[in-house]
C-alpha cells in the first residue's frame, strides 16, 4: 500500500507540472495586454508600459516566466499579484474559495444522498415502474444544460412562488446556498443514480448475493452490506472525479445565483486577462482533482478486499 | 435471451427487464455484433423516437427556409413585447412571439439549429479521430508509449473542461463556429482517448489478434482490420452521448458570452439575450432552452439505445 501511494504521488508530479504549464501557455497566448488594459482607451507612453511590464516580469521569455511562477508557488506559496488591483492572488483565491467549497460540499452531499437513494430504488426494482420513472427523470436532468435548470428553478421558486431569494447575499448562509447547490449537483446526481442503478441491477444476480440470501441473512443486511459494498466502485470513481468538476463547474451556477465564489472569479479573470489569477485558480483545482482521484483509488481497496495494491 | 437468474429472496419482484421475443428464423442466422445490435435497435422505442427527432433536427439545420419564411435577423420594434404584450403569447401571429428586438423567436429557433448541430458534429468528429487514434496507439503498444501518452492525456484531463474552453476562446478576438469547435475539441479528446485505450487493451488479448500476428499480419493491418472494428463499440456510444453534451457546451459558452456571439444565430446566443429579460418575458428564454434540451436529450437517448444494443449485459 505504502509503495503504491508513493508511486501514485510520484506520477502526480509530471501531471501537476504539465497541467500548470499547459494552462500557463494557454493564458499566455491570450491576445491583449493586461498592463495596457490598465490605462483604458487613452493609453499611456511606451516607457511606462515597458516599466510596468518589466515589473510584472511580462517581458521575459515564457519559459522563464513559468519557472519563476512555479518556483514561487512551490517554495514561497506565492501565486503572484493581480495586476489591476495589486492584490495578492492567494488572498483573492482565499476570499473566493471557501464559498465555492461550501457550495460544492452541499452539492456533493445532495448528489450522494439523493443520487444513491434513487439509484438503489431503481436498481432493486429494475424493469419496474419506479425504475422507469427514475430513468426518465435522470435522462431529463442530464439533457438539461445547467443554466437552463438554473433559470427554471429561479423562475419557479424565486419569481413565481417566492420561496427563495433569486440571488445569494454576501453572507452566503447555508439556506441560501441550497438552491444553487441543487442546480450545481443535479447533473452529477443523475449520473450517480444511473451508475448505482446499473451496478446494483447487475450485482443482484451475483453468486455472493445468492449465497448471502441462502445463508438466511436478513434482506436489509444483504442489500446494505453485501450488495452495496460491491456495487459502489463505479459510483465512487465517478464521485472522485466529480469533486474537481463541481468546483470548476461552478462558473454558470455562481453566475446565475450571484455567488461570489471561484467560478465568478475565474470568469472575471478570463475576461480581464488576469492571467495569474486564472492559472492560480486552475492550479488549485488541479491539485484538488489529483488528490481526489488518489483517494478514490485507495478507497477501492477498502471496499473490495480483492483489490490489493503492491 | 434468458439472462435472468432469479433472486427471489432478495427481491420478491422479478428483476427481469422486458425481453423482446426472438424471431426463431432470424435467430438461427449467424449475425455479427453489429447485425445483432441493429436488430435490437430497430425494436427499441428510445432509438426510434431519438432518430426521428434527430432526423427532423438535421433537416431543419440543412434547410431552415423550409420551416419559416420569416427573416431571423429582421427586427421590428413594432413587435416588441413591451409594446404589444399579446404578441408574446402563444397564438400570436407568429406563434412563439418576438424577442427584445422584435425578431421572430420561432425563426431564430429554426435558424439557430444549424450552428448548434454543426459545432457538435464537428467537435465530435475531431475528438473521435484524435482521441481514437491516440487511444489506440497507447492501448496497443503499451509500455513506455502508453505511459507517456497517458500522462499527456492526464494533463489535458486535469483541466476543468468549461474553464479550459473559456480560456481558449478568450484567445480569439473573433468568435466563429470554427473557434468554438477548436476550443471544445482542444480538451474534449481525452474522454475518447481513455475509452479507446481501455477497449484496445481488452481486444488485443483476443485469440484472433494472436492468430493474425502468427500469420504474419503487419501492425497497421492488425490495428485497422482486427482491433479497430472490435474496439469501436464503446467509442461510438460515448461519442453519441458526448455529441449531446457538446451542444449543451456550445450553448453554455455562448450563454456566458464567450462562445458564439451575434450576428451568429444560435440557441445559446438567444438564451443569453433572453436571460437579461427573465423577469419581464420568460418565454424568450424558455423556447430556445426547451429545444436545446430536447436536442441534447435526443442524442443522449440515441447513445443509450446503442449502448444497450451493443452490450446486452447492461439491461
Amino acid at each position: 500500500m505504502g509503495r503504491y501511494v508513493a508511486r501514485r504521488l510520484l506520477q502526480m508530479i509530471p501531471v501537476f507540472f504539465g497541467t500548470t504549464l499547459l494552462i500557463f501557455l494557454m493564458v499566455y497566448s491570450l491576445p491583449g495586454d493586461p498592463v495596457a488594459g490598465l490605462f483604458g482607451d487613452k493609453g499611456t507612453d511606451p516607457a511606462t508600459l515597458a516599466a510596468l511590464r518589466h515589473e510584472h516580469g511580462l517581458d521575459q521569455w515564457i519559459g522563464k516566466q513559468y519557472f519563476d511562477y512555479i518556483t514561487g508557488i512551490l517554495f514561497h506559496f506565492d501565486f503572484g499579484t493581480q495586476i489591476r488591483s495589486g492584490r495578492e492572488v492567494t488572498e483573492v483565491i482565499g476570499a473566493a474559495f471557501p464559498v465555492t467549497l461550501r457550495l460544492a460540499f452541499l452539492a456533493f452531499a445532495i448528489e450522494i444522498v439523493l443520487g444513491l437513494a434513487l439509484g438503489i430504488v431503481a436498481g432493486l426494482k429494475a424493469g419496474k415502474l419506479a425504475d422507469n420513472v427514475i430513468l426518465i427523470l435522470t435522462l431529463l436532468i442530464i439533457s438539461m444544460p445547467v443554466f437552463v435548470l438554473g433559470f427554471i428553478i429561479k423562475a419557479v421558486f424565486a419569481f413565481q412562488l417566492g420561496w427563495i431569494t433569486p440571488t445569494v447575499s454576501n453572507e452566503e448562509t447555508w439556506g441560501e446556498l441550497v438552491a444553487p447547490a441543487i442546480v450545481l449537483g443535479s447533473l452529477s446526481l443523475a449520473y450517480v443514480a444511473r451508475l448505482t442503478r446499473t451496478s446494483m441491477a447487475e450485482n443482484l444476480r451475483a453468486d455472493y448475493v445468492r449465497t448471502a440470501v441462502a445463508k438466511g441473512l436478513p434482506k436489509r443486511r444483504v442489500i446494505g452490506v453485501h450488495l452495496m459494498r460491491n456495487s459502489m466502485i463505479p459510483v465512487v470513481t465517478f464521485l472522485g472525479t466529480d469533486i474537481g468538476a463541481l468546483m470548476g463547474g461552478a462558473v454558470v451556477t455562481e453566475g446565475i445565483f450571484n455567488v461570489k465564489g471561484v467560478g465568478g472569479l475565474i470568469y472575471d479573470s478570463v475576461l480581464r486577462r488576469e492571467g495569474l489569477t486564472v492559472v492560480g485558480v486552475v492550479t488549485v483545482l488541479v491539485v484538488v482533482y489529483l488528490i481526489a482521484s488518489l483517494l478514490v483509488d485507495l478507497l477501492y481497496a477498502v471496499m473490495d478486499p480483492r483489490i490489493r495494491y503492491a | 435471451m434468458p439472462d435472468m437468474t432469479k433472486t427471489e429472496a432478495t427481491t420478491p419482484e422479478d428483476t427481469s427487464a422486458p425481453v423482446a421475443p426472438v424471431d426463431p428464423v432470424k435467430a438461427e442466422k449467424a449475425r455479427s455484433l453489429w447485425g445483432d445490435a441493429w436488430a435490437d435497435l430497430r425494436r427499441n422505442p428510445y432509438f426510434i423516437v431519438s432518430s426521428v427527432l434527430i432526423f427532423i433536427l438535421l433537416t431543419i439545420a440543412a434547410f431552415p427556409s423550409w420551416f419559416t419564411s420569416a427573416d431571423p435577423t429582421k427586427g421590428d420594434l413594432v413587435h416588441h413585447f413591451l409594446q404589444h404584450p399579446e404578441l408574446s403569447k402563444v397564438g400570436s401571429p407568429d406563434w412563439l412571439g418576438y424577442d427584445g428586438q422584435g425578431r421572430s423567436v420561432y425563426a431564430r429557433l429554426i435558424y439557430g439549429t444549424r450552428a448548434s448541430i454543426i459545432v457538435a458534429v464537428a467537435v465530435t468528429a475531431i475528438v473521435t479521430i484524435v482521441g481514437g487514434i491516440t487511444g489506440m496507439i497507447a492501448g496497443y503498444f503499451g509500455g513506455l508509449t502508453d505511459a507517456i501518452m497517458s500522462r499527456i492525456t492526464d494533463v489535458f484531463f486535469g483541466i476543468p473542461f468549461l474553464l479550459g474552453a473559456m480560456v481558449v476562446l478568450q484567445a480569439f478576438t473573433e468568435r466563429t463556429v470554427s473557434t468554438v469547435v477548436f476550443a471544445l475539441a482542444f480538451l474534449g479528446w481525452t474522454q475518447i482517448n481513455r475509452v479507446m485505450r481501455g477497449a484496445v487493451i481488452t481486444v488485443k488479448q483476443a485469440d484472433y489478434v494472436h492468430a493474425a500476428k502468427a500469420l504474419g499480419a503487419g501492425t497497421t493491418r492488425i490495428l485497422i482490420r482486427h482491433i479497430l472494428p472490435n474496439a469501436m463499440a464503446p467509442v461510438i456510444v460515448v461519442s453519441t452521448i458526448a455529441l449531446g453534451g457538446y451542444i449543451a457546451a456550445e450553448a453554455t459558452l455562448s450563454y456566458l458570452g464567450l462562445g458564439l456571439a451575434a450576428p451568429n444565430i444560435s440557441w445559446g446566443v438567444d438564451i443569453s439575450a433572453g436571460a437579461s429579460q427573465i423577469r419581464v418575458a420568460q418565454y424568450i428564454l424558455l423556447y430556445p432552452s426547451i429545444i436545446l434540451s430536447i436536442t441534447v436529450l435526443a442524442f443522449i437517448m440515441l447513445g443509450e439505445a446503442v449502448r444497450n444494443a451493443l452490450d446486452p449485459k447492461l439491461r
Side-chain angles (χ1 to χ4, degrees):
Chain A
M1 188 70 132
R3 269 187 61 195
Y4 175 79
V5 175
R7 203 173 68 222
R8 280 294 303 265
L9 286 171
L10 282 178
Q11 278 182 354
M12 275 185 185
I13 295 171
V15 177
F16 173 78
F17 285 113
T19 312
T20 44
L21 178 64
L22 179 64
I23 190 83
F24 201 88
L25 290 176
M26 279 161 67
V27 172
Y28 183 81
S29 64
L30 292 183
D33 185 336
V35 175
L38 280 175
F39 299 95
D41 289 341
K42 286 186 197 141
T44 184
D45 61 299
T48 316
L49 271 185
L52 268 169
R53 287 179 64 84
H54 182 72
E55 189 191 322
H56 292 285
L58 291 171
D59 53 350
Q60 276 158 334
W61 177 59
I62 175 71
K64 173 86 167 71
Q65 282 192 44
Y66 175 72
F67 182 78
D68 288 344
Y69 178 74
I70 210 77
T71 46
I73 290 182
L74 291 177
F75 299 117
H76 314 291
F77 199 69
D78 175 15
F79 281 69
T81 310
Q82 277 193 336
I83 291 173
R84 180 179 293 255
S85 62
R87 290 170 71 197
E88 295 266 322
V89 172
T90 37
E91 184 196 320
V92 177
I93 296 178
F97 221 76
V99 183
T100 303
L101 210 58
R102 279 166 58 202
L103 182 62
F105 173 79
L106 207 54
F108 200 62
I110 291 171
E111 84 185 45
I112 289 182
V113 174
L114 272 179
L116 279 185
L118 288 177
I120 291 168
V121 171
L124 292 179
K125 307 215 182 247
K128 295 279 169 144
L129 180 69
D131 180 33
N132 282 318
V133 169
I134 291 172
L135 278 184
I136 291 172
L137 190 77
T138 50
L139 198 57
L140 285 179
I141 295 177
I142 292 172
S143 312
M144 230 182 275
V146 175
F147 59 96
V148 172
L149 188 69
F151 281 122
I152 289 175
I153 290 204
K154 208 167 150 169
V156 173
F157 292 102
F159 298 148
Q160 307 285 342
L161 298 172
W163 290 356
I164 57 169
T165 50
T167 54
V168 174
S169 74
N170 284 342
E171 277 89 57
E172 293 107 7
T173 58
W174 286 103
E176 285 176 325
L177 288 177
V178 170
I182 290 174
V183 174
L184 182 60
S186 60
L187 184 66
S188 313
L189 188 158
Y191 280 120
V192 169
R194 300 204 129 208
L195 281 171
T196 311
R197 184 254 174 209
T198 311
S199 190
M200 298 266 294
E202 243 175 54
N203 285 338
L204 262 182
R205 298 172 219 149
D207 288 340
Y208 58 79
V209 172
R210 213 177 322 169
T211 310
V213 173
K215 281 197 297 188
L217 292 179
K219 188 177 168 184
R220 198 188 304 139
R221 188 165 169 81
V222 174
I223 294 173
V225 178
H226 295 248
L227 185 56
M228 283 289 286
R229 185 164 167 178
N230 285 286
S231 303
M232 282 302 108
I233 285 196
V235 182
V236 169
T237 310
F238 175 80
L239 287 173
T241 50
D242 198 49
I243 294 174
L246 278 181
M247 314 270 319
V251 178
V252 178
T253 316
E254 290 186 357
I256 291 173
F257 290 96
N258 192 34
V259 181
K260 303 274 186 298
V262 168
L265 177 64
I266 293 179
Y267 182 66
D268 287 342
S269 314
V270 169
L271 285 189
R272 289 189 196 147
R273 290 160 168 68
E274 283 280 6
L276 282 182
T277 317
V278 177
V279 185
V281 178
V282 178
T283 303
V284 174
L285 291 181
V286 167
V287 172
V288 170
Y289 166 78
L290 286 176
I291 293 174
S293 54
L294 175 64
L295 287 180
V296 164
D297 284 351
L298 295 181
L299 261 181
Y300 284 171
V302 177
M303 289 188 306
D304 189 344
R306 285 171 301 184
I307 299 177
R308 287 256 177 272
Y309 295 119
Chain B
M1 280 169 274
D3 57 339
M4 292 298 146
T5 318
K6 292 261 177 82
T7 47
E8 285 92 342
T10 338
T11 46
E13 312 80 11
D14 185 8
T15 54
S16 61
V19 177
V22 179
D23 188 315
V25 185
K26 275 187 189 163
E28 270 171 39
K29 208 169 67 185
R31 277 191 304 218
S32 68
L33 172 70
W34 300 101
D36 251 345
W38 175 237
D40 235 24
L41 275 179
R42 276 182 310 189
R43 288 192 302 257
N44 186 338
Y46 282 97
F47 175 75
I48 295 165
V49 171
S50 58
S51 6
V52 168
L53 270 175
I54 291 170
F55 178 75
I56 295 172
L57 285 162
L58 289 178
T59 316
I60 293 177
F63 309 105
S65 55
W66 290 2
F67 295 86
T68 175
S69 53
D71 180 353
T73 56
K74 185 170 165 280
D76 189 345
L77 288 181
V78 166
H79 298 314
H80 195 283
F81 57 86
L82 291 179
Q83 300 273 338
H84 295 278
E86 77 279 4
L87 287 179
S88 64
K89 303 268 164 48
V90 173
S92 69
D94 193 351
W95 56 292
L96 291 186
Y98 295 85
D99 72 2
Q101 295 182 47
R103 298 174 300 199
S104 161
V105 169
Y106 173 69
R108 290 187 67 79
L109 281 188
I110 293 293
Y111 279 88
T113 312
R114 184 178 286 178
S116 299
I117 301 266
I118 286 181
V119 168
V121 170
V123 174
T124 309
I126 295 172
V127 155
T128 307
I129 292 170
V130 174
I133 291 176
T134 53
M136 198 153 86
I137 293 172
Y140 186 74
F141 294 105
L144 188 65
T145 319
D146 183 29
I148 293 172
M149 290 183 78
S150 291
R151 290 294 87 75
I152 295 176
T153 313
D154 281 348
V155 165
F156 281 83
F157 196 79
I159 297 179
F161 182 68
L162 201 56
L163 302 186
M166 280 168 64
V167 175
V168 174
L169 276 170
Q170 190 65 359
F172 295 101
T173 37
E174 205 174 317
R175 306 225 182 80
T176 59
V177 167
S178 49
T179 54
V180 175
V181 169
F182 176 78
L184 292 176
F186 186 71
L187 295 173
W189 60 275
T190 52
Q191 192 190 11
I192 303 287
N193 172 291
R194 295 194 157 185
V195 173
M196 187 58 142
R197 178 178 169 272
V200 169
I201 288 176
T202 323
V203 170
K204 78 171 176 184
Q205 331 269 352
D207 288 339
Y208 53 79
V209 175
H210 291 305
K213 250 188 232 167
L215 288 171
T219 308
T220 325
R221 187 181 161 82
I222 291 179
L223 278 178
I224 293 173
R225 290 278 305 164
H226 300 284
I227 304 264
L228 187 62
N230 292 295
M232 263 322 268
V235 173
I236 288 178
V237 171
V238 174
S239 295
T240 317
I241 294 178
L243 206 149
Y246 291 131
I247 290 179
E250 180 274 312
T252 307
L253 288 169
S254 303
Y255 159 75
L256 287 170
L258 289 163
L260 295 175
N264 288 301
I265 304 171
S266 98
W267 299 330
V269 171
D270 284 3
I271 291 170
S272 176
S276 57
Q277 285 148 334
I278 181 172
R279 274 177 184 274
V280 273
Q282 286 162 9
Y283 68 94
I284 300 176
L285 180 72
L286 186 67
Y287 297 132
S289 299
I290 290 175
I291 192 162
L292 174 68
S293 302
I294 290 176
T295 311
V296 179
L297 181 69
F299 282 102
I300 292 179
M301 261 162 57
L302 183 72
E304 297 228 323
V306 174
R307 170 165 46 203
N308 285 340
L310 288 174
D311 190 355
K313 196 179 70 183
L314 285 177
R315 254 173 306 205

